[in-house]
Amino acid sequence: MEQLSEEEQQKILESPPKGTLAVILVYAAIFIVTWLFMYFGRFLAHGPVN
Amino acid sequence: MIHIDPLEKTWVYIVGLLIVVMLGSILYTAFANSVHPPSNVETIDSASLHLSKEFAEDNLGVKTRADGSVTVTMVAARYGFYPQHIEVPANTPIRFRIASLDVVHGLHIPETNLATMVIPGFVSEVNTTIPKPGEYPLFCNEYCGLGHHYMWSRVTVTPNTTTN
């Protein structure tokens, strides 16, 4: 960070956190796919229950 | 005016979407396919099960109803399920009716959705369907005493040969 110019530092600080957003999206995708698999692929596939 | 960071806003939308998808799936199957926790409330005198009509020894076991569905009547008692072996058809609606002779028991068939508590004084009723033929264990999953780990039974699920 120290080697960067004032202008470059400001640009980095003001830019949107794309990496964080990517991590969130990947996490959400894994979470929802796993949940859907467990609910529809495992739970409901074992037969209805009531 | 409250400032919400765009990233936080995105995260809120994603979480909202997850909740809508999950709750929506659960509610849809609950209303459309009647998938919900067993809710039968029916009392019985556990001390005189042998005198009751339904849970007398001779009446236990598997019975086929007129519509082709099956009713399984069982008694759970330390340390076994009676009858100790049942045979039911696959892909057929099955109604399990179980009563306890003594203490709280549990009933669970792995790889199926059948899991319920069996509380003395009440009849536990669970309706389900077992899609996959095969041999399944049926065991107690509520600690009921020193012999709890011996308390299990067998279920044979046979291929359904009737055509619908």
Side-chain angles (χ1 to χ4, degrees), chain B residues 24-119:
Chain B
S25 304
I26 291 168
L27 288 174
Y28 175 75
T29 48
F31 286 105
N33 303 336
S34 194
V35 174
H36 55 77
S39 55
N40 182 54
V41 178
E42 188 180 333
T43 56
I44 194 166
D45 180 11
S46 286
S48 59
L49 284 184
H50 59 295
L51 301 175
S52 72
K53 199 175 172 188
E54 185 180 6
F55 292 96
E57 194 176 354
D58 290 346
N59 295 329
L60 300 178
V62 182
K63 291 178 195 74
T64 305
R65 293 198 295 256
D67 60 357
S69 63
V70 166
T71 299
V72 179
T73 312
M74 295 184 96
V75 165
R78 293 193 292 184
Y79 295 103
F81 292 98
Y82 307 96
Q84 294 210 307
H85 176 232
I86 55 167
E87 198 172 303
V88 290
N91 290 310
T92 303
I94 307 168
R95 173 170 292 168
F96 281 86
R97 286 177 59 77
I98 311 117
S100 169
L101 191 67
D102 38 45
V103 297
V104 175
H105 295 286
L107 185 142
H108 176 52
I109 304 179
E111 293 297 312
T112 75
N113 285 332
L114 189 82
T116 186
M117 286 177 80
V118 188
I119 300 168

Side-chain angles (χ1 to χ4, degrees), chain A residues 17 20-21 24-25 27-28 31-32 35-36 39-40 42-50, chain B residues 7 10-11 14 18 21-22 25-26 29 34-36 38 111-113 126-129 131:
Chain A
T20 308
L21 189 59
I24 287 172
L25 289 173
Y27 171 78
F31 185 90
I32 199 73
W35 189 89
L36 289 172
Y39 191 72
F40 289 99
R42 300 289 293 166
F43 174 62
L44 290 184
H46 284 159
V49 67
N50 60 56
Chain B
L7 187 65
T10 309
W11 196 205
I14 292 170
L18 294 181
V21 169
M22 291 191 291
S25 304
I26 291 168
T29 48
S34 194
V35 174
H36 55 77
E111 293 297 312
T112 75
N113 285 332
V126 186
N127 298 290
T128 191
T129 300

Side-chain angles (χ1 to χ4, degrees), chain B residues 132-143:
Chain B
K132 220 167 128 186
E135 288 284 333
Y136 295 82
L138 181 157
F139 57 80
C140 179
N141 63 358
E142 291 284 339
Y143 182 74

